[in-house]
Amino acid sequence: MALEVKALPREFVARQGKGNERVLTDPGTGMSPEEVRAHYAQVYPELASAGVEGPEVKDGKQVYVFTGSVGVKG
């Protein structure tokens, strides 16, 4: 019996503050999570300085979370 290996699909979540989340589709499996963040920062500028957490496996998906801004405001 041959063993079949499948990569888990990825999901990206932009989290800005408590209760404010946006699920983003994976624009390409060849992109690193940092490249995905840069891709979406063109539409959501707040992601340009966001941190990347994960992956955490949830519901059969690799979930990466873009969290807040890195640094101090003001």
Side-chain angles (χ1 to χ4, degrees), residues 25-49:
T25 58
D26 189 353
T29 57
M31 299 172 78
S32 71
E34 291 77 16
E35 290 172 323
V36 172
R37 183 193 60 190
H39 169 80
Y40 278 112
Q42 296 174 33
V43 178
Y44 306 109
E46 64 273 13
L47 294 180
S49 61

Side-chain angles (χ1 to χ4, degrees), residues 1-72:
M1 177 190 309
L3 195 60
E4 186 176 343
V5 178
K6 290 185 178 181
L8 294 175
R10 301 186 305 175
E11 181 175 273
F12 296 89
V13 177
R15 186 174 292 155
Q16 298 292 319
K18 189 172 183 171
N20 188 9
E21 292 186 350
R22 178 179 291 123
V23 176
L24 307 169
T25 58
D26 189 353
T29 57
M31 299 172 78
S32 71
E34 291 77 16
E35 290 172 323
V36 172
R37 183 193 60 190
H39 169 80
Y40 278 112
Q42 296 174 33
V43 178
Y44 306 109
E46 64 273 13
L47 294 180
S49 61
V52 180
E53 296 178 3
E56 181 178 333
V57 176
K58 286 185 179 178
D59 300 324
K61 298 177 199 166
Q62 295 179 67
V63 179
Y64 292 86
V65 178
F66 300 132
T67 56
S69 294
V70 177
V72 179

